Amino acid sequence: MADKNTVDKVKELLNGHVYAPLKETAEKWLEEADEKYDVKDKAGKAWDKINDAADSFADASAKFNETMNTAGEKFTEGAEKFADKAAPAVDQLMDKAAPAVSKITESELIAKLKEGIATVNENIEHFSDPKVREQFGEEAADQIKKHAEALKAEGKKFCDCPACTKAREILKDLGEDLGE
């Protein structure tokens, strides 16, 4: 099951250059987390309730202080303690609810992440293609191809570009370590 860190990584992945099917699936995965569990809404409502409670305590405290100064000070301290104790509970709610998505959506995300990760062999083949070389330019295509060949010589299996690296990190977080 994903945790808040994984959710953040998926959001970070979407901020970069990713191919369309992965982007659509990742957005669906994040949307389901928000819709199904109302993470944002629940957290916002919880904070609103805390703020309302703090406002109510402050109002009551002000009135009470007019007549019983000592008792009013204790009441204010209690309200502050309540707010201090409630904040971690709301944070904990957000941490637990955010990663809760259906296994179906998560498995779709895993499949798309796997599809989007290029192997070094795929990069070598891709940047050997005359059409690709023309599109990227001979010099750029040669640099990328040589980099992929160097990775292969080091025993690496996968492309190390930011998108492929982030996708592999997310897979590992979701229990799908592709290794190296």
Side-chain angles (χ1 to χ4, degrees):
M1 183 56 66
D3 60 14
K4 184 178 182 323
N5 188 32
T6 303
V7 171
D8 291 342
K9 286 179 184 177
V10 171
K11 288 178 181 178
E12 189 177 318
L13 176 69
L14 287 172
N15 288 331
H17 177 72
V18 295
Y19 78 114
L22 171 57
K23 183 176 182 174
E24 291 170 11
T25 302
E27 287 172 344
K28 180 181 175 184
W29 186 81
L30 288 170
E31 186 177 302
E32 185 174 315
D34 287 343
E35 286 178 14
K36 187 170 183 183
Y37 297 96
D38 297 321
V39 173
K40 293 177 185 174
D41 190 42
K42 286 181 181 177
K45 287 179 182 176
W47 279 115
D48 288 345
K49 287 181 180 179
I50 290 170
N51 286 333
D52 290 346
D55 289 345
S56 295
F57 285 131
D59 290 345
S61 178
K63 291 176 185 175
F64 201 65
N65 274 334
E66 291 174 12
T67 56
M68 302 186 74
N69 201 12
T70 304
E73 289 174 8
K74 290 181 180 181
F75 191 76
T76 300
E77 289 174 17
E80 289 171 356
K81 287 179 184 177
F82 170 77
D84 289 344
K85 288 182 180 181
V90 171
D91 290 341
Q92 193 174 34
L93 168 70
M94 289 175 62
D95 287 344
K96 287 183 180 179
V101 296
S102 76
K103 284 293 182 187
I104 294 170
T105 303
E106 190 169 292
S107 65
E108 288 176 14
L109 176 65
I110 288 169
K112 294 299 179 186
L113 286 166
K114 285 179 178 179
E115 287 174 21
I117 298 172
T119 66
V120 292
N121 288 335
E122 289 170 335
N123 280 349
I124 292 168
E125 183 180 322
H126 184 71
F127 288 98
S128 296
D129 183 318
K131 290 179 183 177
V132 174
R133 296 179 68 74
E134 183 179 320
Q135 180 184 7
F136 279 83
E138 292 291 324
E139 187 177 327
D142 277 342
Q143 287 178 349
I144 296 170
K145 182 180 172 188
K146 286 179 183 175
H147 178 72
E149 289 169 341
L151 288 174
K152 185 175 182 175
E154 293 174 16
K156 305 290 183 183
K157 295 177 188 174
F158 301 103
C159 173
D160 65 349
C161 77
C164 289
T165 300
K166 184 63 65 182
R168 287 182 48 234
E169 286 177 16
I170 293 168
L171 283 170
K172 189 173 183 178
D173 290 348
L174 295 173
E176 297 283 330
D177 190 2
L178 298 180
E180 184 54 42

